[in-house]
């Protein structure tokens, strides 16, 4: 009886995992095949595979969207957000895990609360107003700062990881004359590289895929548009007719970089999450 239950449980587990894989992979596969169809074939709901392979859709998407420029914008913004977010989250997580200071519980409570409250577009106006007051609303720096915010979950990940590191290491370093900065950079940082890789991937993915914040920031200055915003502009041609095949071609190009990043960093990503789960 136990053996039968085990077999049934394994079947249900694999069925669930297979279902999740299908739901995850299907939109990507559909986008790629849809980008190789004609617009009429795509909108009329033909077969899953294209009748003819129209690779020229990618050429049109690249030319119409000025992908070279917008890709560079996306790379600059995403890499900058990744670097700043990784450093700030590592520092904040270390301080929360190792130091006591006035208002710590209040800040921690606010961080935890923000993790479960989706403010969404409500925060866009005050962020834009603040950047306008600082004269950063028409610059790449302003867009980067707008996307760096909202890293509460990443700070918590780092904090949990740092807490798993024995405090005796800090005490030994203090006895040897190390300052708080020396403890962080020489002791803590080398040990939290796995979780920093996770934070880096999360922040890069968030910045690369962001649409609404970048759209608002680039309304007055279209040159600030990133690839994600530019792809949506492909939906309409010069005569205002919806060209979904061109849009899907642009979307296919846009997802390639994030897939490449994950392909080369998936070991660090999985390792960081696993280590954090075991140690935390």
């Amino acid at each position: 009886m136990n053996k039968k239950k085990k077999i049934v449980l394994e079947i249900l587990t694999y069925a669930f995992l297979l279902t999740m894989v299908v739901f995850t992979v299907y939109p990507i596969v559909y986008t790629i095949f849809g980008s190789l169809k004609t617009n009429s074939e795509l909108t009329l709901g033909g077969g899953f595979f294209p009748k003819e392979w129209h690779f020229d859709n990618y050429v049109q998407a690249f030319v119409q969207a000025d992908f070279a420029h917008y890709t560079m914008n996306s790379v600059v913004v995403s890499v900058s957000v990744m670097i700043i977010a990784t450093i700030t989250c590592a520092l904040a997580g270390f301080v929360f895990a190792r130091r006591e200071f006035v208002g710590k519980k209040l800040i921690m409570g606010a961080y935890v609360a923000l993790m479960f409250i989706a403010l969404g577009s409500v925060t866009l106006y005050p962020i834009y107003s603040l950047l306008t007051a600082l004269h950063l609303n028409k610059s790449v720096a302003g867009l980067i700062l707008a996307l760096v915010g909202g890293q509460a979950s990443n700070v918590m990940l780092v904090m949990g990881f740092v807490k798993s590191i024995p405090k005796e290491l800090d005490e030994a370093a203090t006895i040897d004359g190390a300052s708080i900065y020396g403890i962080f950079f020489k002791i803590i940082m080398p040990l939290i590289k796995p979780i920093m890789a996770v934070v880096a991937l999360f922040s890069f993915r968030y910045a690369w895929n962001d649409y609404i914040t970048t759209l608002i920031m680039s309304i007055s200055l279209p040159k600030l548009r990133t690839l994600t915003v530019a792809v949506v502009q492909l939906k309409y041609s010069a005569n205002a007719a919806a060209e979904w095949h061109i849009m899907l071609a642009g979307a296919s190009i846009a997802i390639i970089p994030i897939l490449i990043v994950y392909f080369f960093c998936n070991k660090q990503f999985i390792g960081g999450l696993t280590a954090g789960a075991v140690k935390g």
Side-chain angles (χ1 to χ4, degrees):
M1 188 67 178
N2 292 332
K3 187 176 181 180
K4 290 183 177 180
K5 286 184 177 180
K6 186 177 180 180
I7 293 174
V8 172
L9 182 61
E10 288 182 354
I11 292 174
L12 291 175
T13 301
Y14 282 110
F16 173 76
L17 293 176
L18 180 61
T19 303
M20 294 301 296
V21 169
V22 170
F23 275 99
T24 302
V25 176
Y26 177 79
I28 299 176
V29 176
Y30 180 84
T31 298
I32 294 173
F33 284 125
S35 66
L36 297 170
K37 298 179 179 180
T38 62
N39 197 42
S40 59
E41 182 183 358
L42 186 62
T43 54
L44 291 176
F48 184 78
F49 298 99
K51 295 178 181 178
E52 295 183 6
W53 302 77
H54 293 271
F55 292 98
D56 57 307
N57 292 343
Y58 285 85
V59 177
Q60 294 184 49
F62 197 87
V63 173
Q64 289 182 25
D66 191 11
F67 267 30
H69 174 76
Y70 296 125
T71 299
M72 183 57 64
N73 284 352
S74 289
V75 171
V76 171
V77 170
S78 299
V79 172
S80 299
V81 170
M82 178 184 70
I83 293 174
I84 296 173
T86 303
I87 294 173
T88 54
C89 289
L91 289 169
F94 167 69
V95 171
F96 281 132
R98 287 293 202 257
R99 291 291 184 269
E100 296 295 332
F101 53 89
V102 178
K104 176 180 176 179
K105 291 184 178 180
L106 179 63
I107 297 175
M108 286 284 295
Y111 262 61
V112 174
L114 290 174
M115 290 175 62
F116 297 96
I117 300 176
L119 297 177
S121 57
V122 175
T123 60
L124 290 177
Y125 181 74
I127 290 174
Y128 188 80
S129 299
L130 177 61
L131 293 175
T132 301
L134 296 173
H135 303 289
L136 293 173
N137 59 309
K138 295 183 179 181
S139 65
V140 176
L143 176 58
I144 292 172
L145 290 176
L147 294 176
V148 166
Q151 302 289 334
S153 57
N154 290 335
V155 171
M156 293 300 168
L157 283 175
V158 176
M159 184 185 70
F161 202 95
V162 173
K163 281 185 176 180
S164 68
I165 300 173
K167 287 187 177 180
E168 288 76 11
L169 295 176
D170 298 28
E171 296 170 357
T174 302
I175 293 174
D176 290 338
S179 64
I180 184 175
Y181 302 104
I183 293 173
F184 175 75
F185 288 106
K186 295 180 180 179
I187 305 297
I188 301 299
M189 183 174 283
L191 297 175
I192 63 173
K193 284 182 179 179
I195 200 64
M196 288 178 67
V198 173
V199 173
L201 282 172
F202 278 168
S203 55
F204 182 88
R205 182 196 62 181
Y206 168 73
W208 185 272
N209 293 331
D210 177 79
Y211 173 73
I212 187 65
T213 302
T214 307
L215 176 65
I216 297 299
M217 292 293 296
S218 62
I219 286 179
S220 58
L221 192 62
K223 289 184 178 180
L224 282 179
R225 289 175 183 169
T226 59
L227 202 55
T228 306
V229 177
V231 165
V232 179
Q233 310 305 317
L234 291 173
K235 187 172 66 172
Y236 300 106
S237 64
N239 57 4
E243 294 188 330
W244 294 100
H245 61 310
I246 303 299
M247 182 180 176
L248 290 182
S252 299
I253 297 174
I255 64 177
I256 291 175
I258 197 69
L259 292 177
I260 292 175
V261 169
Y262 178 77
F263 177 78
F264 284 104
C265 301
N266 69 88
K267 288 185 179 180
Q268 291 84 347
F269 177 73
I270 300 299
L273 289 180
T274 304
V278 173
K279 293 182 180 180

